[in-house]
Amino acid sequence: SKLIYVGSYLLERLAQLGVTSMFGVPGDFNLGFLDLVEDHPSMEWIGNCNELNASYAADGYARVNERSIGVLTTTFGVGELSAVNGIAGAFSEHVPILHIVGVPNTMQLKNKPMLHHTLGDGRFDAYTKAAEQFTVSQATLMNKTTAAYEIDRVLNDCITTRRPVYLTLPTDICYEKIPSDRLKVHLTSIPPENDEDVETFVLDEIVKLVETAGQDVVILVDACAGRHHVKAELKDLLTKTHFPVYAAPMGKSVVSESYDRYGGIYVGSISHPDIKEKVESAKLVISVGSLRSDFNTGNFTYSVPARKTIELHSDHIMVLHAKFPDIGMKRLLPKLTARLQPYKEEAKLLEVPLYKIVVPQEDNNLISHAWFWPRVGQFFRPKDVIVAETGTSSFGILDVPLPDDAVFLSQVLWGSIGWTVGSTLGAALAARDLGLGRTILFIGDGSIQLTVQELSSMVRVGVKPIIFVLNNSGYTIERYLHGKERKYNDISNWKWTSLLNVLGGEGASESYTVHTKDDLSKLLEDPTFAKAEKIQLVEVMMDKFDAPRGLKMQTELSGKTNKYVTVESTV
Amino acid sequence: SKLIYVGSYLLERLAQLGVTSMFGVPGDFNLGFLDLVEDHPSMEWIGNCNELNASYAADGYARVNERSIGVLTTTFGVGELSAVNGIAGAFSEHVPILHIVGVPNTMQLKNKPMLHHTLGDGRFDAYTKAAEQFTVSQATLMNKTTAAYEIDRVLNDCITTRRPVYLTLPTDICYEKIPSDRLKVHLTSIPPENDEDVETFVLDEIVKLVETAGQDVVILVDACAGRHHVKAELKDLLTKTHFPVYAAPMGKSVVSESYDRYGGIYVGSISHPDIKEKVESAKLVISVGSLRSDFNTGNFTYSVPARKTIELHSDHIMVLHAKFPDIGMKRLLPKLTARLQPYKEEAKLLEVPLYKIVVPQEDNNLISHAWFWPRVGQFFRPKDVIVAETGTSSFGILDVPLPDDAVFLSQVLWGSIGWTVGSTLGAALAARDLGLGRTILFIGDGSIQLTVQELSSMVRVGVKPIIFVLNNSGYTIERYLHGKERKYNDISNWKWTSLLNVLGGEGASESYTVHTKDDLSKLLEDPTFAKAEKIQLVEVMMDKFDAPRGLKMQTELSGKTNKYVTVESTV
Ligand SMILES: Cc1ncc(C[n+]2csc(CCOP(=O)(O)OP(=O)(O)O)c2C)c(N)n1
Ligand SMILES: Cc1ncc(C[n+]2csc(CCOP(=O)(O)OP(=O)(O)O)c2C)c(N)n1
Ligand SMILES: [Mg+2]
Ligand SMILES: [Mg+2]
């Protein structure tokens, strides 16, 4: 069989998985591998400004190119450790990333000299030990005999668990030659069949509960429905059963938000009253891919007790209080749909609130959150990729119905600010490959400062996102939590509209400041702006103390505004 | 005794240690603590743009304010993990940093709900486990009874080992009240007395070896001499013995470079031939605080075998091949000086090469490395703080003698690019407090892109460094290692002279581009520029393939330019 470099074997596997762009920063221990990447016919090397941003980009790429994975390449120590937060975030939010680290050669790994990028005390395993905390699987390629197997093992773990994995590539191993036969058998993320007996038992149980509920059933969609690829199965379930469906914040856009049986976002006590009532009064809730984090549940204020909930997960099913390990939803869902179809007529009678939002009339021209979010909602188009940063943006966007086939990215559980900048780069590249629409980012003036340099990579690779920077003089979300007037919540004001020019975008970008509702409306109605044929940045002037409904409710409800840490008593 | 908050106890300890500025980024789990910081009379909160930059700033601060420590405050998960690389770098390079992490309250830490910033799987200890790899000591304050003890324990480890430590501060514990009496006893970094018998034995051995060597002795100064505070003891040794002294790159500026018995930088095979000859032909080398990393030794090309070397360390002494554990140099040095003083007359006869550099005559006006470094050398003044980024800068600066009491910062072992930007902020703040001179940074166009936003913090806090950005169209140091013409070594060209304006510096900053030797000389001779009363950025246009002597030698010597990874065969 044909011999190929270990590095090339790895690249072929990635190509098979549909990876088209790889992210990272060069460093002397990965340069040889980067030669292979640069020379690969179908792979594009996206050199990022720094490694954290690169990990965010790989994350955003994986979320949009959801059949594939994100790939991050860094160098030993300094590079890989810069990306730890990005990888941990991908772990937390179930995003598959392969982190390839170029490391010294195997002789050095054994002899442990005091190389640059080491801790100076001979501990060469410290970085891997750290990585073990934040990845589901790790491999160090120490010889060519097992290299292909090890690569396949971590990749397999990555695509099946939808979580990050870690691979160290010593400089010498990268150029060892190995047989390529294994490549003929592709890796697959499709889970094996469930145990038939248990599965049938579970299905029977569910059908019984649906009957008992008099078909008063609601479907609740969450993060892992998207991450574990059951969108199609879910759509089938919905259209064939007509059950009303709602989404948690992390499940937003998994089900089309224009679907007539879709009622909007359920997030415990901070849901719209209508939605709250409908979800909580249902006799039975079938929850798909749930992830019950504080901000995804309105600070743990779900009033949907286990005794009326069926939870479908990628690797287990909960029927009320009973757990069925190793039964996965991917295989179960089609069978469930077939069994539930007969209940469709009754389900049709269940009313679903109309999920829409009206642009309010306000008696001044300032851009308030109450006005801003519905207004930009009118600007969205089918297939747009919409990214919202933690802060007022991530709360504001929740009330806005997104168009058909829109893709929504936010980091509700991990909530690392700055993430969206890298993530928008990755998302825009994936969107380009998949023929999706515009990529539109909403980000606060505080958050963008963490990772701002990655705008330069967007310019360089030629993606054209529209970036709304909410200029509200600092960390507004934090002012709501604590320290309203504190200096530590202030930030430096930048010349936002010159940023793209300085970062390499002169001629290739446009920037605007909007002070009023009229300014913004005019811009949104400008067809050239809407076409997004250049990268564009819009500085949106907002009041320091204004916030969207959701954020205000969160703090009002808990009655703790300005007390120390809102979530303190939620357990 | 007076009761104070745990958070206040911590701040008082830091104030006692001479900490005046604290770095970090707010987050909901540290906001309460930040109230205490903001209200503290002698502590300044420096809000950074992101956590990695903040850790770099704490590092730079600690290196300049060398009797004190750096302090970094971040939030649970997202914040702390963003700083891992910065902390690991401080570990590697022996820089004392206290990393304070604001974490959920103790009830939540016990019950482990799915809070934002968690991994979603209930592992609340993952971040601490990662921190264990990169800090010498960790504490989680779980109750008020042991809080003061635990704070003192980690601080004590920090100041004695001169390495980073990790402290998690739960939101509730921060505001628990505890007695303040312990504060009366200050913490001290001065090591205990050495065992007298062993110490005397070691001294006898050393004196015997000096005699045997016919007083042909050379002192070699390295990183840990500075880090472990033996500058004064060392100076005393030098002036009383008159032994010639040389420095490793990491020991640069520990001994005044204008001292007439100082011969310059010894870095194995890439040393100047004169220096190499003198050091390697000496009969005995007394090495102080050595740290034998690849780049600190010319890729392990020291020709100073153990059989003619005495190594003084903070926690042990090596006499030729014999190790004496637990004998530290801080206590030993004064006694050694007393014993060696009698050999002064003979030592005076040993010749020391003059460490100076001449600005070469070149027949064109382009700014070459060969010309640039000696030229800027003429610009330096006593007490300037000089920071050099990994890349052509860190090699170029080595040949330039620094003036008296200049402070030199570089990351020779860890070598994480972007570090100098944060580090310059911290260094400039410490320099301001200590009444030092200007802070002058040399950084490549590639490196500055990693951490550029921190220029904005410099503007905000009002420090006025001079920043030389070497614009050589990408990663030149890497081109010398591998991939000379590869695209992955290219970067995006920014409008460098508009950067400070965009990042909040309009009116408060000046920026310049110099294309020629004449341009640069004119600027350096401009008294307004030299006074540095505003923050200033100088874009220095250089050839893509030009490099300083040291870097060229490193790659030529190893004869491996453009082979895969230069350091590959050095073990
Ligand atoms: C990496 C990281 N550091 C710190 C935080 C804490 N934090 C959460 S939101 C926020 C402020 C965001 O401010 P901005 O982006 O301006 O949003 P807005 O003003 O619209 O709320 C901060 C500092 C975090 N979540 N992640
Ligand atoms: C955090 C980090 N990422 C990557 C590297 C690998 N690296 C070492 S030097 C360098 C290029 C530096 O380029 P530049 O700052 O332009 O310096 P110059 O061109 O003057 O050599 C890179 C990418 C590193 N050392 N640290
Ligand atoms: Mg803001
Ligand atoms: Mg460069």
Side-chain angles (χ1 to χ4, degrees), chain B residues 145-383:
Chain B
T145 325
T146 55
Y149 170 82
E150 288 287 289
I151 288 170
D152 288 357
R153 179 176 63 78
V154 294
L155 280 177
N156 196 56
D157 290 344
C158 183
I159 62 177
T160 54
T161 66
R162 313 308 293 165
R163 279 190 152 156
V165 297
Y166 176 83
L167 179 74
T168 63
L169 186 57
T171 54
D172 53 342
I173 297 292
C174 179
Y175 279 94
E176 289 282 1
K177 291 218 162 186
I178 56 169
S180 58
D181 350 7
R182 283 181 74 100
L183 289 173
K184 283 178 209 141
V185 184
H186 286 220
L187 304 176
T188 171
S189 65
I190 297 170
E193 288 287 354
N194 291 321
D195 178 293
E196 213 187 303
D197 280 1
V198 184
E199 191 180 57
T200 310
F201 182 86
V202 170
L203 287 168
D204 291 345
E205 290 288 296
I206 298 178
V207 173
K208 244 185 286 171
L209 287 166
V210 171
E211 269 186 47
T212 319
Q215 292 97 64
D216 183 3
V217 179
V218 150
I219 310 278
L220 192 53
V221 179
D222 208 337
C224 289
R227 303 288 202 282
H228 285 276
H229 301 160
V230 297
K231 263 191 193 175
E233 291 80 355
L234 184 62
K235 196 171 169 189
D236 211 39
L237 173 80
L238 294 173
T239 49
K240 295 209 170 129
T241 63
H242 285 256
F243 287 140
V245 57
Y246 300 84
M250 291 180 83
K252 187 174 173 71
S253 88
V254 169
V255 168
S256 167
E257 297 206 296
S258 65
Y259 173 51
D260 64 352
R261 304 294 291 159
Y262 176 71
I265 302 292
Y266 175 67
V267 51
S269 303
I270 70 172
S271 315
H272 264 289
D274 234 25
I275 297 176
K276 184 171 153 58
E277 203 275 320
K278 289 276 186 253
V279 173
E280 295 178 0
S281 69
K283 295 246 169 63
L284 187 67
V285 173
I286 301 182
S287 131
V288 186
S290 82
L291 200 158
R292 303 256 174 105
S293 78
D294 51 1
F295 290 172
N296 203 31
T297 62
N299 264 3
F300 308 115
T301 57
Y302 263 35
S303 280
V304 190
R307 69 179 145 67
K308 55 177 200 176
T309 309
I310 290 158
E311 283 187 38
L312 312 184
H313 291 280
S314 64
D315 57 356
H316 73 281
I317 308 289
M318 298 286 304
V319 180
L320 314 190
H321 297 289
K323 180 170 183 174
F324 300 89
D326 299 324
I327 302 294
M329 63 182 168
K330 176 92 184 167
R331 297 285 190 172
L332 180 105
L333 269 168
K335 294 171 192 158
L336 186 61
T337 301
R339 297 278 304 263
L340 293 182
Q341 206 159 347
Y343 301 103
K344 149 172 110 188
E345 292 310 320
E346 290 87 323
K348 278 185 186 163
L349 304 175
L350 295 169
E351 217 188 297
V352 180
L354 190 63
Y355 182 47
K356 65 167 194 150
I357 188 167
V358 248
V359 183
Q361 288 297 328
E362 291 184 342
D363 57 6
N364 65 57
N365 209 350
L366 295 179
I367 301 174
S368 64
H369 278 280
W371 181 87
F372 178 76
W373 295 104
R375 184 61 191 85
V376 293
Q378 299 176 331
F379 176 72
F380 296 151
R381 295 189 194 148
K383 292 199 174 187

Side-chain angles (χ1 to χ4, degrees), chain B residues 375-564:
Chain B
R375 184 61 191 85
V376 293
Q378 299 176 331
F379 176 72
F380 296 151
R381 295 189 194 148
K383 292 199 174 187
D384 279 348
V385 176
I386 292 150
V387 189
E389 182 61 86
T390 297
T392 57
S393 299
S394 57
F395 280 91
I397 195 78
L398 287 185
D399 287 340
V400 183
L402 304 184
D404 261 9
D405 297 316
V407 179
F408 175 63
L409 273 63
S410 188
Q411 223 189 23
V412 176
L413 170 54
W414 191 243
S416 180
I417 61 171
W419 166 80
T420 56
V421 184
S423 164
T424 293
L425 167 67
L429 282 163
R432 190 178 68 183
D433 281 2
L434 299 174
L436 296 174
R438 306 165 302 181
T439 301
I440 303 173
L441 165 63
F442 298 93
I443 184 167
D445 52 354
S447 299
I448 195 173
Q449 295 197 346
L450 280 84
T451 47
V452 64
Q453 52 273 85
E454 224 49 46
L455 297 179
S456 148
S457 308
M458 297 179 193
V459 171
R460 188 149 76 117
V461 304
V463 291
K464 282 127 186 163
I466 299 175
I467 300 157
F468 291 93
V469 178
L470 277 48
N471 186 342
N472 55 9
S473 313
Y475 301 148
T476 293
I477 185 175
E478 293 205 341
R479 298 188 199 281
Y480 271 81
L481 293 171
H482 187 82
K484 190 170 179 212
E485 309 265 10
R486 283 284 184 179
K487 270 193 298 188
Y488 57 67
N489 282 328
D490 296 342
I491 59 169
S492 166
N493 193 23
W494 291 357
K495 274 178 69 178
W496 299 104
T497 49
S498 301
L499 204 47
L500 286 171
N501 282 347
V502 167
L503 300 182
E506 206 160 33
S509 66
E510 294 293 341
S511 300
Y512 321 82
T513 302
V514 293
H515 289 89
T516 63
K517 295 188 174 87
D518 291 345
D519 286 351
L520 180 62
S521 288
K522 215 175 121 204
L523 186 65
L524 296 179
E525 282 153 21
D526 174 354
T528 315
F529 174 76
K531 257 198 231 150
E533 287 176 339
K534 287 182 173 186
I535 177 171
Q536 300 179 101
L537 185 151
V538 185
E539 176 188 18
V540 183
M541 303 307 297
M542 288 187 139
D543 185 76
K544 192 165 162 175
F545 300 116
D546 187 23
R549 186 195 64 86
L551 179 55
K552 285 183 184 164
M553 276 192 74
Q554 168 117 359
T555 46
E556 272 163 28
L557 255 180
S558 58
K560 292 195 127 199
T561 312
N562 290 343
K563 275 220 208 131
Y564 188 25

